[in-house]
Amino acid sequence: MNAAALEKAAPKISFVSLGCPKALVDSERIITRLRAEGYELTKRHDGADVVIVNTCGFLDSAKAESLGAIGDAMAENGRVIVTGCMGAEPDSIREQYPDVLAITGPQQYESVLAAVHQASPPKHDPFLDLVPPQGIKLTPRHYAYLKISEGCNNRCTFCIIPKLRGDLVSRPVSDVLREAEKLVKAGVKELLVVSQDTSAYGIDLKYQENLWQDRQVRTRFFDLSRELGQLGAWVRLHYVYPYPHVDEVIELMAEGHVLPYLDIPFQHASPNVLRAMKRPAHAEKVAGRIARWREICPDLAIRSTFIVGFPGETEEDFQFLLDWMREAKLDRVGCFKYEPVRGAPANDLGNPVPPEIQEARWKRFMAAQQEISRRQLAKKVGKRLPVIIDEAGGPIARGRSRYEAPEIDGTVHVASRRPVRVGDIVSVKIERTDDYDLYGVAV
């Protein structure tokens, strides 16, 4: 390569994105800005001008993973910028890696860009460095996460998200819909709506109206869901708390505008544990609400996450949770053993549950849910379901129906006589199930 070519070579950025889908959206925004400025992305730390590590700081295990990723980047490259949730507590990073170039907190896009500019100034050629209108995505082309707000107003005792990301800040509804429209025009067939508390969307803005196309639309959970449902893509709702106004959105699901799927982080069912957790909407009779939702939309699928072994959880509390699970019949469930988080109020509750009891309860919980899942999936046998294909190329393709979200739920295994491509939505007759997956034939 001659001197002129070297002079024009774009600086290379290696990027590591850890944590939840909300952090992934942050990574996409940073990468989009960098590509717009002419930076080139590389999958290798070795040879990159700068490495950016977007960290997760929610649990100690996540912090350990983040520190490990920073260590790998330092060893392979040495020019590292750290951002994300763990960046809100920079001392813990500096203690192990004092030579990182910069540390910024979550959502601090401008600070990340400034640090990159200082470490490796951009060499932008507007005739060559073009960025698509929808931005750079880290997900496959056929689905994308759509983040509608930042932060959270809840003060759950096991969580430090408000400390890391602040109180709820909703994006104006016109901005969200404009982004969603660009994604759909670019080929996205499934929009996964995410935030810390999706059903609280717009509360901070007092549900103000914005002009969208030829009409005024309120910055509100129901109104946003209704408008997204008119864009022609699957709309999947995550991190929804069971507030009363969610009932309106269930009607949209029954009418086919929004996928019949809710991701609700219940965390527990025992009133005693929920009070200790300071969970929002814990006073609601949630099992009754779920029953009403299923009356409105009979094929509604509900996924959730739970914590066992929370400080003070008794055997009676845990048994209450198991009984509630059998009554609620949730379709998809994840379970975690309680893990202390530095700075979380739950650390001061006392009455810790011994690790061996946590482990035993976790196994009992998963065994109970496995049986529930098997029965729920069995109801799909014999039905024809639309399935979006995530993996293709062999005799068996893999995808998801309306009842599964990517990476966290089960898979539909699809046998097909005709070729199918990633992103196709095909009709599949379900023939059998196992504990977590469906198996069928394209028809």
Side-chain angles (χ1 to χ4, degrees), residues 318-383:
F318 178 70
Q319 190 59 53
F320 188 101
L321 171 59
L322 291 184
D323 293 342
W324 186 90
M325 291 288 295
R326 294 185 179 105
E327 178 185 0
K329 297 182 178 66
L330 304 186
D331 299 85
R332 304 287 187 178
V333 168
C335 182
F336 302 90
K337 289 166 280 191
Y338 172 75
E339 182 180 325
V341 178
R342 185 183 302 174
N347 299 339
D348 301 324
L349 292 176
N351 243 346
V353 177
E356 61 273 16
I357 295 180
Q358 284 190 341
E359 178 71 17
R361 289 177 181 171
W362 180 82
K363 289 180 177 178
R364 289 164 59 193
F365 180 98
M366 293 307 297
Q369 176 54 33
Q370 189 177 61
E371 180 61 31
I372 295 168
S373 174
R374 187 184 299 115
R375 292 177 180 173
Q376 292 295 98
L377 288 176
K379 298 175 183 178
K380 307 290 192 299
V381 174
K383 293 185 176 181

Side-chain angles (χ1 to χ4, degrees), residues 82-273:
V82 179
T83 187
C85 286
M86 199 171 174
E89 299 176 339
D91 291 346
S92 60
I93 299 171
R94 290 284 183 195
E95 286 176 7
Q96 292 199 35
Y97 304 108
D99 296 327
V100 296
L101 297 178
I103 301 173
T104 74
Q107 307 157 44
Q108 295 180 4
Y109 313 125
E110 298 301 331
S111 298
V112 176
L113 292 168
V116 173
H117 293 164
Q118 184 172 358
S120 184
K123 297 177 181 178
H124 180 45
D125 184 341
F127 297 103
L128 298 177
D129 303 319
L130 302 178
V131 175
Q134 75 275 13
I136 307 298
K137 312 306 292 181
L138 297 177
T139 51
R141 183 173 181 266
H142 60 286
Y143 69 82
Y145 292 101
L146 183 68
K147 185 158 64 168
I148 63 174
S149 65
E150 301 282 3
C152 184
N153 288 341
N154 302 317
R155 294 296 183 266
C156 304
T157 58
F158 57 83
C159 181
I160 58 171
I161 291 297
K163 178 181 177 182
L164 297 175
R165 291 182 171 262
D167 288 337
L168 175 72
V169 178
S170 301
R171 296 176 62 194
V173 69
S174 56
D175 289 357
V176 177
L177 291 172
R178 194 174 299 113
E179 179 183 350
E181 184 180 54
K182 288 179 180 178
L183 289 168
V184 174
K185 286 182 177 178
V188 168
K189 296 183 179 180
E190 180 180 12
L191 297 168
L192 299 109
V193 178
V194 295
S195 67
Q196 293 301 139
D197 183 353
T198 296
S199 38
Y201 175 67
I203 289 176
D204 57 310
L205 298 178
K206 296 181 172 56
Y207 306 126
Q208 70 181 26
E209 291 188 342
N210 283 166
L211 181 64
W212 167 245
Q213 296 180 345
D214 59 349
R215 58 193 179 278
Q216 293 289 331
V217 178
R218 289 182 299 174
T219 303
R220 185 170 174 263
F221 178 48
F222 170 78
D223 301 73
L224 173 65
S225 300
R226 181 192 62 212
E227 297 298 327
L228 289 173
Q230 297 179 26
L231 294 179
W234 285 10
V235 178
R236 192 179 300 276
L237 303 173
H238 288 270
Y239 316 123
V240 176
Y241 286 81
Y243 304 134
H245 66 268
V246 174
D247 295 8
E248 299 175 292
V249 177
I250 304 299
E251 294 179 4
L252 293 177
M253 296 178 180
E255 295 165 1
H257 301 298
V258 177
L259 292 183
Y261 178 101
L262 279 179
D263 182 346
I264 304 177
F266 288 120
Q267 307 297 7
H268 215 281
S270 163
N272 295 329
V273 176

